[in-house]
């Protein structure tokens, strides 16, 4: 059995230290006998490594494209819908670029050092930025739940664009060292990193896994817990405001308020569902990264094969976060679902709505 170079893991995901396949690490595989289930588990891992990105692309690309078209046709671009569109665009770019570089390197195409640096930089940037757009959405939604009467003043499209720009600039700055440390290894026909500066390489590895996985996972977990905690209090405030409006006889405002509460509730459910699924799918990668250095395995052992299989499964789930959002929106947001179905059937929605 030959080695399988995990090219896609170098673009858009953190570098995870797995033991090299024994034929490379020990030079002569004939001295070692694989354990009983080693080959079968490795075959499964190699199969996932080779094909799962195609499945992610086939599910995620049309879904994200449908999200973009649906939101644009709703003709109501608030801060939340702006985030949804940007997230869908970045998800599509991330999975497309990742699949592209995987195919290029698998076919041994010489893309040169400039090509490696370009793919590495933008691949890592897009994955991390997509996850951080979701973080910004969750933080804003937490503020909306906690301070429902002030959110319109706190956040608008201009401030949302500013927040997106600042976060994007920070992420791009963190990944800038890639532009002078990555290079194309013509012997191995793959992208590598200059190891002469160990501290810089270590920084890039930890910055990558932190920006793309650990920090978004932690922030979204906290945001979800806080949203659950304060949502009842938020709804009590809204109900009190509605009662006050009814007392003074503002029937038309009460009607609008009911509609606004309905929309805000759908937005909260929609985002909570999306971030919860993100946390669930990202957890295996975070757990694997924490356990990686302590999980010692022997070459050609069943445990070695099991670790490599877990490694592939964790990245498969991680990459799936770029493919599932449309389907979560469709299931959790009635307004989004009605607009998409109306668009699909060439009908016109009876009432314009905002997410």
């Amino acid at each position: 059995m030959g080695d399988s170079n995990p090219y896609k893991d170098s673009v858009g995901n953190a570098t995870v230290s797995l033991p090299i396949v024994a034929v490379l690490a020990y030079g002569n595989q004939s001295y070692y006998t694989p354990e009983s289930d080693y080959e079968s588990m490795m075959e499964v891992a190699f199969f996932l490594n080779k094909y799962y990105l195609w499945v992610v692309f086939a599910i995620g690309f049309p879904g994200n494209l449908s999200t973009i078209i649906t939101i644009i046709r709703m003709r109501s671009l608030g801060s939340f819908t702006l985030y949804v569109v940007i997230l869908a665009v970045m998800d599509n770019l991330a999975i497309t670029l990742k699949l592209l570089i995987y195919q290029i390197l698998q076919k041994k195409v010489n893309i040169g050092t400039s090509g490696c640096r370009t793919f590495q930089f933008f691949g890592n940037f897009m994955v991390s930025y997509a996850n951080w757009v979701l973080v910004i959405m969750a933080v804003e939604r937490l503020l909306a739940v906690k301070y429902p009467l002030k959110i319109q003043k706190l956040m608008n499209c201009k401030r949302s664009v500013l927040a997106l720009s600042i976060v994007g600039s920070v992420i791009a700055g963190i990944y800038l060292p890639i532009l002078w440390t990555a290079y194309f290894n013509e012997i191995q026909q793959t992208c590598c990193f200059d190891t002469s500066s160990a501290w810089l390489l270590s920084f890039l590895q930890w910055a990558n896994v932190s920006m793309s996985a650990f920090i978004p996972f932690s922030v979204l977990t906290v945001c979800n817990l806080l949203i659950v905690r304060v949502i009842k209090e938020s709804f009590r405030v809204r109900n009190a405001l509605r009662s006050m409006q009814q007392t003074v006889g503002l029937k038309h405002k009460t009607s609008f308020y009911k509609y606004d509460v309905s929309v805000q509730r759908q937005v909260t459910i929609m985002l909570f569902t999306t971030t919860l699924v993100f946390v669930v799918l990202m957890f295996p990668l975070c757990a694997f990264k924490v356990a990686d250095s302590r999980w010692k395995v022997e070459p050609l052992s069943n445990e070695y094969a099991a670790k490599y299989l877990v490694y592939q499964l964790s990245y498969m789930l991680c990459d799936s976060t770029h493919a599932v959002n449309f389907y979560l929106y469709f299931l959790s947001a009635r307004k989004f679902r009605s607009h998409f179905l109306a668009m699909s059937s060439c009908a016109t929605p009876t009432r314009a709505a905002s997410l």
Side-chain angles (χ1 to χ4, degrees), residues 5-16 98 101-102 105 116 119-124 178 182 190-193 208 311 315:
N5 292 324
Y7 298 122
K8 61 180 174 294
D9 300 334
S10 65
V11 179
N13 279 323
T15 301
V16 178
K98 196 168 188 181
I101 186 59
Y102 178 51
L105 294 180
C116 278
F119 278 118
Q120 289 282 352
F121 176 80
F122 284 105
N124 284 281
I178 291 176
T190 188
C191 293
C192 299
F193 284 90
N208 192 8
Y311 165 76
Y315 270 111

Side-chain angles (χ1 to χ4, degrees), residues 51-64 92 95-97 99-100 319 323:
Y51 293 111
Y52 87 80
L53 271 179
W54 287 105
V55 177
V56 172
F57 179 85
I59 295 174
F61 192 90
N64 291 324
N92 263 358
I95 58 179
T96 300
L97 183 61
L99 182 60
L100 177 62
D319 290 333

Side-chain angles (χ1 to χ4, degrees), residues 251-298:
K251 295 183 179 181
H252 64 287
K253 290 187 177 182
T254 302
S255 176
F256 175 80
Y257 182 75
K258 289 180 179 179
Y259 170 70
D260 181 65
V261 169
S262 175
V263 170
Q264 293 300 321
R265 183 184 294 114
Q266 288 184 61
V267 169
T268 301
I269 294 173
M270 174 179 168
L271 180 62
F272 182 82
T273 302
T274 305
T275 54
L276 180 62
V277 171
F278 177 91
V279 167
V280 171
L281 293 178
M282 191 63 71
F283 175 77
L285 178 61
C286 295
F288 180 87
K289 183 59 180 176
V290 171
D292 179 36
S293 60
R294 298 178 178 84
W295 189 358
K296 306 298 182 181
V297 294
E298 294 296 329

Side-chain angles (χ1 to χ4, degrees), residues 7 17 40 50 65 139-140 142 156 179 200 207 212 310 329 345:
Y7 298 122
S17 58
S40 59
K50 188 174 181 180
L65 190 61
V139 172
E140 180 176 320
L142 176 60
N156 52 45
L179 297 179
L200 183 58
S212 64
V310 171
Y329 300 156
S345 61

Side-chain angles (χ1 to χ4, degrees), residues 121-303:
F121 176 80
F122 284 105
N124 284 281
F125 173 81
M126 289 173 185
V127 169
S128 295
Y129 190 59
N131 294 346
W132 276 89
V133 171
L134 194 58
V135 169
I136 296 173
M137 293 168 65
V139 172
E140 180 176 320
R141 185 49 25 189
L142 176 60
L143 293 175
V145 172
K146 183 65 175 178
Y147 307 106
L149 304 181
K150 299 179 180 179
I151 188 60
Q152 296 298 331
K153 295 181 179 180
L154 291 175
M155 294 301 300
N156 52 45
C157 282
K158 290 184 178 180
R159 292 182 179 179
S160 298
V161 171
L162 178 61
L164 290 169
S165 301
I166 293 174
V167 170
S169 299
V170 171
I171 295 174
I174 290 174
Y175 288 130
L176 274 180
I178 291 176
L179 297 179
W180 62 82
T181 57
Y183 69 95
F184 184 76
N185 188 319
E186 295 186 359
I187 298 177
Q188 299 180 4
Q189 291 291 297
T190 188
C191 293
C192 299
F193 284 90
D194 183 6
T195 59
S196 61
S197 180
W199 71 269
L200 183 58
L201 182 59
S202 178
F203 166 78
L204 283 174
Q205 291 175 349
W206 279 104
N208 192 8
V209 74
S210 298
M211 295 301 295
S212 64
F214 280 151
I215 299 178
F217 172 83
S218 301
V219 174
L220 291 176
T221 300
V222 172
C223 283
N224 281 346
L225 293 175
L226 291 177
I227 287 174
V228 170
R229 179 180 178 181
V230 304
I231 197 167
K232 292 183 179 180
E233 177 184 352
S234 175
F235 282 135
R236 283 198 297 268
V237 172
R238 290 192 178 115
N239 289 335
L241 180 59
R242 184 180 66 175
S243 299
M244 182 178 65
Q245 289 177 329
Q246 289 175 339
T247 301
V248 298
L250 297 177
K251 295 183 179 181
H252 64 287
K253 290 187 177 182
T254 302
S255 176
F256 175 80
Y257 182 75
K258 289 180 179 179
Y259 170 70
D260 181 65
V261 169
S262 175
V263 170
Q264 293 300 321
R265 183 184 294 114
Q266 288 184 61
V267 169
T268 301
I269 294 173
M270 174 179 168
L271 180 62
F272 182 82
T273 302
T274 305
T275 54
L276 180 62
V277 171
F278 177 91
V279 167
V280 171
L281 293 178
M282 191 63 71
F283 175 77
L285 178 61
C286 295
F288 180 87
K289 183 59 180 176
V290 171
D292 179 36
S293 60
R294 298 178 178 84
W295 189 358
K296 306 298 182 181
V297 294
E298 294 296 329
L300 299 180
S301 65
N302 289 339
E303 192 175 6

Side-chain angles (χ1 to χ4, degrees), residues 66 69-70 73 326 330 336-350:
S66 298
I69 297 173
T70 302
R73 286 177 63 90
F326 164 77
F330 185 86
F336 180 90
R337 182 169 60 249
S338 64
H339 275 268
F340 174 75
L341 293 175
M343 180 188 68
S344 301
S345 61
C346 299
T348 302
T350 56

